[in-house]
Amino acid sequence: MHTPHYIDGRWVEGLGDDCISVFEPARGQPFAELRAASVAQVDQAVAAARLALPAWKNTCPSERASLLRGFAIQLDQRREALLAVQMQNNGKPRHEAEIDLDDAIATFHYYADLAEQLPGKNRDVPLAAVGFSARTRLEPVGVVGLIVPWNFPLVTSAWKLAPALAAGCTVVLKPSEVTPLIEQAYGQIADTLGLPPGVLNIINGMARTGAALSNHKGLDKLSFTGSNTVGSQVMRSAAEQCRPVTLELGGKSAILVFDDCDPDQAVEWIVAGICWNAGQMCSATSRLLVQDGIADTLLPRLQAALQKLRVGNPLAEEVDMGPLTSQAQWHKVCGYFASAREEGLQCLTGGQALDRDGWFVSPTLYADVPTDSRLWTEEIFGPVLCSHRFSTEQQAIALANDSAFGLVATVCSADLVRAERVADALEVGHVWINSVQAVFVETSWGGTKGSGIGRELGPWGLSAYQSVKHVTRCLG
Ligand code: NAD
């Protein structure tokens, strides 16, 4: 049994009703248990964050920057332990767990830099009016609730924690009940660095713990990453309290492959875009739009590449793809395989669970999927790729944009002028040209349409935790 809650600078036992079993997806077996936080403990965490706010928001930004650098250094020092938890609990191959850890480290360094630049952002505002002067003051939003999912827990939490702390906010973080262990590192690091009690609180629990936090009247803002279903509940609760909310939700993103591509290079990008993290990426490019002239060359090579992937237990063997992270996700993906069979979709490879212990499925490719199929329109969150042919650039753009989501897209073409033109026409938050899933802390993250509200990363990620105040004086 773990002691999983970090409230007001102390580790405490959960007093909630829910008992959380933590699984190793490669074996389908539990390896840890913890008791969820009670509603009263959620109250305590929010109260601690409120109490810590006045002192924390008035710390010198350079002090906050040095603490954030401390987080980055400490994450690196815990590298082996953090990789092991991600491999065991998420089922991530080692090289992917390393990418996640390095991303989290880079995020803390980046927001340390931005924190140091904060004093220079409070500056005079030139006014056209005579007799007045004004200045801008960027202030922290206040106490923020951070709710995150299980697919990239270390990273998703870093993308929220680092800018929130840099801005001078105090936080209550709720990790996913599927992966509740990894974020405990943030509490341990806070202890090691001597972060003032209450600045960072971590509470674990299931949906009802999340709801207790997102409905809490003591928050000034909520930042949520997760499904559209829960995101809309979180938004409803924010609306009732007229409180700002950032939402990072689902996706059904397109990868557009034009005739002039090198087919082998395109196959590499396509496979990475759907099989990294076993396809459990909000940004998975799960709709392949392939131009008529290259389709017959590309699809057999893609089929062969997917069949060659080594799928297995990342703790036991060298693998390209691990299992799905939860049994619920495995059932969901298998449900889509059943739907595809009912719809009579043409399956070029995969389309089934692997016959072994653990929550494994085969990398899957369906060809010529109709655009009204639920496999084409709904987020599956697994290594399941649907392809569809197009003939003209205009058609490709229209097909890509015909989605309720708008998170990302990838454009593959040797004609860079065309690629840039297509990138500009796509209704998404982030486009990759001839690359795949490369996320840099300096660029933004977030989507249009059903993929959410607001942006993380870059200066926009910091602004999400800041409030703008102007002080205007009469020179009179
Ligand atoms: P989820 O919505 O089920 O859960 C997310 C978090 O919300 C968890 O911590 C959960 O305990 C909590 N929660 C559940 N019910 C709640 C409620 N009623 N009130 C408040 N909190 C509640 O999502 P998931 O299955 O963990 O994650 C997968 C989803 O996350 C996918 O849709 C994926 O696309 C999305 N996602 C988006 C991004 C992005 O940046 N856009 C990144 C990662 C994942």
Side-chain angles (χ1 to χ4, degrees):
M1 214 24 135
H2 283 248
T3 306
H5 313 288
Y6 186 62
I7 301 174
D8 203 13
R10 274 171 297 135
W11 291 99
V12 294
E13 297 288 351
L15 299 173
D17 293 332
D18 296 321
C19 188
I20 301 169
S21 293
V22 189
F23 283 85
E24 184 175 337
R27 294 190 306 119
Q29 296 295 327
F31 67 94
E33 272 199 337
L34 48 97
R35 188 163 290 285
S38 64
V39 171
Q41 287 179 306
V42 176
D43 289 343
Q44 285 166 14
V46 175
R50 177 65 57 199
L51 203 64
L53 182 65
W56 180 247
K57 75 176 184 182
N58 286 316
T59 47
C60 178
S62 62
E63 192 183 319
R64 299 203 293 273
S66 119
L67 281 162
L68 290 172
R69 289 224 164 76
F71 270 88
I73 292 163
Q74 289 281 326
L75 282 171
D76 207 10
Q77 284 176 356
R78 290 155 204 256
R79 179 168 288 269
E80 277 313 311
L82 292 173
L83 296 183
V85 178
Q86 294 187 87
M87 288 160 72
Q88 186 176 18
N89 189 195
N90 275 88
K92 286 177 193 271
R94 187 183 174 89
H95 65 276
E96 293 189 13
E98 282 191 335
I99 292 172
D100 284 16
L101 178 57
D102 290 338
D103 185 327
I105 291 170
T107 304
F108 279 97
H109 277 305
Y110 175 74
Y111 284 107
D113 289 348
L114 291 205
E116 261 161 4
Q117 294 162 21
L118 277 177
K121 306 280 177 195
N122 292 339
R123 51 172 87 110
D124 289 343
V125 183
L127 300 177
V130 179
F132 288 89
S133 72
R135 66 183 167 92
T136 307
R137 187 175 145 80
L138 296 176
E139 299 187 341
V141 165
V143 176
V144 293
L146 312 176
I147 300 182
V148 297
W150 46 262
N151 55 336
F152 294 98
L154 199 64
V155 174
T156 315
S157 293
W159 288 7
K160 295 184 192 299
L161 268 183
L165 295 177
C169 293
T170 55
V171 309
V172 179
L173 169 71
K174 195 204 94 57
S176 166
E177 61 274 32
V178 179
T179 51
L181 303 182
I182 190 89
E183 281 108 330
Q184 292 194 15
Y186 290 128
Q188 290 155 1
I189 291 172
D191 264 351
T192 307
L193 297 176
L195 196 74
V199 171
L200 163 63
N201 304 274
I202 304 171
I203 48 159
N204 275 291
M206 322 256 292
R208 62 172 125 186
T209 308
L213 181 59
S214 65
N215 295 334
H216 206 288
K217 296 208 164 28
L219 298 181
D220 296 306
K221 168 156 189 173
L222 196 105
S223 179
F224 172 85
T225 300
S227 64
N228 285 60
T229 310
V230 178
S232 94
Q233 292 171 30
V234 165
M235 190 168 169
R236 207 170 301 130
S237 155
E240 272 164 22
Q241 299 177 48
C242 291
R243 183 165 73 194
V245 67
T246 294
L247 298 176
E248 297 288 353
L249 307 176
K252 187 73 187 181
S253 300
I255 179 164
L256 296 78
V257 179
F258 288 89
D259 283 348
D260 56 6
C261 280
D262 168 356
D264 293 321
Q265 177 61 79
V267 163
E268 233 177 78
W269 290 325
I270 297 164
V271 170
I274 192 64
C275 290
W276 275 356
N277 213 35
Q280 301 163 119
M281 298 178 281
C282 51
S283 55
T285 39
S286 52
R287 291 185 297 144
L288 167 62
L289 290 164
V290 55
Q291 201 163 16
D292 290 328
I294 195 176
D296 290 337
T297 313
L298 185 100
L299 289 174
R301 293 187 197 193
L302 179 56
Q303 177 185 28
L306 290 169
Q307 285 166 350
K308 248 194 260 159
L309 287 181
R310 295 163 302 173
V311 181
N313 180 350
L315 288 175
E317 50 204 305
E318 191 70 21
V319 299
D320 300 308
M321 194 181 97
L324 297 176
T325 298
S326 74
Q327 190 173 32
Q329 194 54 36
W330 182 85
H331 279 302
K332 184 176 168 197
V333 172
C334 291
Y336 280 101
F337 292 150
S339 239
R341 284 191 289 274
E342 275 162 32
E343 287 184 29
L345 295 187
Q346 185 192 348
C347 182
L348 295 188
T349 187
Q352 60 193 9
L354 290 190
D355 186 17
R356 56 183 285 177
D357 288 343
W359 302 321
F360 292 94
V361 295
S362 303
T364 297
L365 173 59
Y366 295 108
D368 299 323
V369 177
T371 57
D372 60 356
S373 162
R374 57 185 291 248
L375 278 89
W376 185 261
T377 56
E378 296 175 14
E379 181 182 54
I380 298 174
F381 225 54
V384 182
L385 181 64
C386 295
S387 76
H388 191 93
R389 296 175 194 230
F390 68 88
S391 43
T392 66
E393 180 182 316
Q394 285 317 313
Q395 219 183 351
I397 293 167
L399 282 162
N401 286 342
D402 183 18
S403 171
F405 298 102
L407 193 55
V408 302
T410 295
V411 183
C412 309
S413 172
D415 176 349
L416 293 183
V417 175
R418 188 231 318 260
E420 295 285 350
R421 189 171 59 230
V422 172
D424 289 352
L426 292 171
E427 297 163 356
V428 298
H430 203 121
V431 181
W432 291 292
I433 292 176
N434 295 334
S435 60
V436 67
Q437 304 290 333
V439 180
F440 301 100
V441 287
E442 300 85 354
T443 61
S444 69
W445 188 258
T448 63
K449 302 193 265 186
S451 290
I453 298 173
R455 291 290 180 271
E456 297 194 303
L457 292 184
W460 309 274
L462 183 63
S463 304
Y465 296 100
Q466 288 175 320
S467 171
V468 181
K469 178 188 275 180
H470 278 106
V471 180
T472 302
R473 30 185 136 67
C474 176
L475 299 175

